[in-house]
Amino acid sequence: MARALAGTSAEIAIRRGSPQIITDELRGKQTATWKGEGQYPLENMKSWLVAPLIVGGKAIGVIHFRASEAGVYTDQHRQLAERIANQIAGPIALAQLHHDLRESEKEQSALAQLAVELALAESAQEMSESIDRTLEGFFQFDRISIVTVDEDEHHLVQIYQRGLHVPGVEIGTVLKFTDIESEFYPWANELAGTTENLDDTNLVDRSSTHKDLGLESRMRAPFLTTTGYVGAIALNAIQPRLYSKPDQDFLKRVASQAAPALEKSFLLEKAEEDARIQQSV
């Protein structure tokens, strides 16, 4: 589970670059800023010792020691914690590197498979289902939706959705914009309820619909081609602070890869519709 680093005992140890015995005052501040549900889960821990894991001068994590009895840790414990941290930091960093490489290979493989499915798809519906399946392998979400954009008409149209139902939003629902260029960009790039920028009110959607449904986390990415905006994709989750900036970066890579195929599909469907109208006339 991701948590904000700011204001924590871990941040203090990382900034000072050495193990720290956390004072009652600092422990009280961290308890007071708890943003989770219910009582602070570590409130009964009266003694805290936090050691940063440092590799090549960079902190890659922290190790916490806690005890329910007050005044347990001494300077001798602090020195011992430093030796332990120095011994385990390297192996942990190496394990994380291997994990990141595996994730990168997984992403590249998924994007390659998505490219094949998009090329074989015969409609925007099939493409949307392929995008859904791809993202399901990487993210937890309770709702996914895809919209198309019409810059001439200044509106968005819901073309795909799955998961938790939002009242009033169905396939074909139109969302009006006064100006696509100034309003659509921030909307399509929104990252709300994330592990970053928690205090940035510009990233928090005040929509009562999502609030009532308890959809705390949300990230969107635009379908963008050389000709302009094609649409956007949104993932919503009930769990708060679920998505991070790197998560949205991957979502944007998926959207960027799918955008040309979707645009082509929309143009073909529009051309076929126009042809049917002409034939009827």
Side-chain angles (χ1 to χ4, degrees):
M1 177 182 176
R3 301 192 302 274
L5 179 65
T8 64
S9 56
E11 182 189 31
I12 295 170
I14 289 172
R15 289 188 180 278
R16 295 179 182 177
S18 62
Q20 302 293 315
I21 297 174
I22 305 302
T23 65
D24 290 342
E25 180 184 1
L26 292 173
R27 187 170 54 84
K29 286 182 179 179
Q30 183 165 334
T31 303
T33 57
W34 167 247
K35 297 182 182 295
E37 297 180 4
Q39 183 182 12
Y40 184 60
L42 300 172
E43 191 169 358
N44 294 329
M45 298 292 101
K46 305 301 182 184
S47 295
W48 287 19
L49 173 59
V50 186
L53 304 174
I54 300 176
V55 177
K58 179 182 178 182
I60 58 115
V62 293
I63 179 170
H64 294 265
F65 301 92
R66 301 185 180 93
S68 57
E69 184 181 345
V72 167
Y73 302 120
T74 65
D75 191 58
Q76 183 179 359
H77 290 110
R78 191 186 63 78
Q79 294 173 13
L80 179 60
E82 186 167 27
R83 292 199 295 272
I84 293 172
N86 289 340
Q87 186 161 343
I88 68 175
I92 288 177
L94 185 60
Q96 185 62 48
L97 177 61
H98 283 303
H99 173 269
D100 292 343
L101 288 173
R102 287 195 301 271
E103 284 298 304
S104 178
E105 291 173 357
K106 179 183 176 182
E107 290 180 5
Q108 293 302 320
S109 176
L111 290 173
Q113 178 62 30
L114 177 61
V116 173
E117 293 183 10
L118 291 173
L120 296 175
E122 297 181 353
S123 67
Q125 174 67 22
E126 289 185 13
M127 292 179 184
S128 298
E129 291 171 355
S130 293
I131 294 169
D132 186 351
R133 285 194 300 272
T134 299
L135 295 175
E136 198 173 23
F138 291 88
F139 301 117
Q140 173 187 336
F141 54 87
D142 297 291
R143 174 178 168 80
I144 180 174
S145 59
I146 294 176
V147 298
T148 60
V149 59
D150 187 325
E151 295 191 26
D152 295 328
E153 298 294 333
H154 299 296
H155 66 228
L156 307 178
V157 179
Q158 192 88 5
I159 66 163
Y160 181 83
Q161 60 182 18
R162 182 178 68 83
L164 197 63
H165 179 253
V166 175
V169 180
E170 310 289 348
I171 299 298
T173 296
V174 174
L175 176 62
K176 296 286 186 179
F177 277 92
T178 304
D179 181 71
I180 288 291
E181 190 63 33
S182 64
E183 295 183 26
F184 178 73
Y185 179 81
W187 181 88
N189 287 275
E190 185 186 33
L191 187 58
T194 69
T195 57
E196 300 179 9
N197 301 316
L198 291 178
D199 296 324
D200 191 340
T201 54
N202 292 328
L203 295 179
V204 180
D205 186 357
R206 304 301 180 185
S207 169
S208 59
T209 322
H210 288 89
K211 181 179 179 181
D212 293 342
L213 291 171
L215 292 170
E216 300 285 348
S217 299
R218 175 169 56 265
M219 64 176 173
R220 297 192 186 103
F223 293 115
L224 182 63
T225 67
T226 54
T227 60
Y229 292 112
V230 178
I233 182 170
L235 299 183
N236 297 80
I238 293 174
Q239 182 178 327
R241 297 184 294 278
L242 186 61
Y243 304 125
S244 64
K245 186 64 169 59
D247 291 334
Q248 191 184 42
D249 290 339
F250 178 64
L251 183 66
K252 287 182 177 181
R253 288 199 293 275
V254 171
S256 176
Q257 180 160 315
L262 281 170
E263 183 179 46
K264 180 180 178 181
S265 176
F266 298 152
L267 291 173
L268 285 174
E269 289 177 3
K270 186 176 186 302
E272 290 172 356
E273 178 64 21
D274 290 344
R276 283 193 295 269
I277 293 174
Q278 290 296 325
Q279 187 176 21
S280 297
V281 171

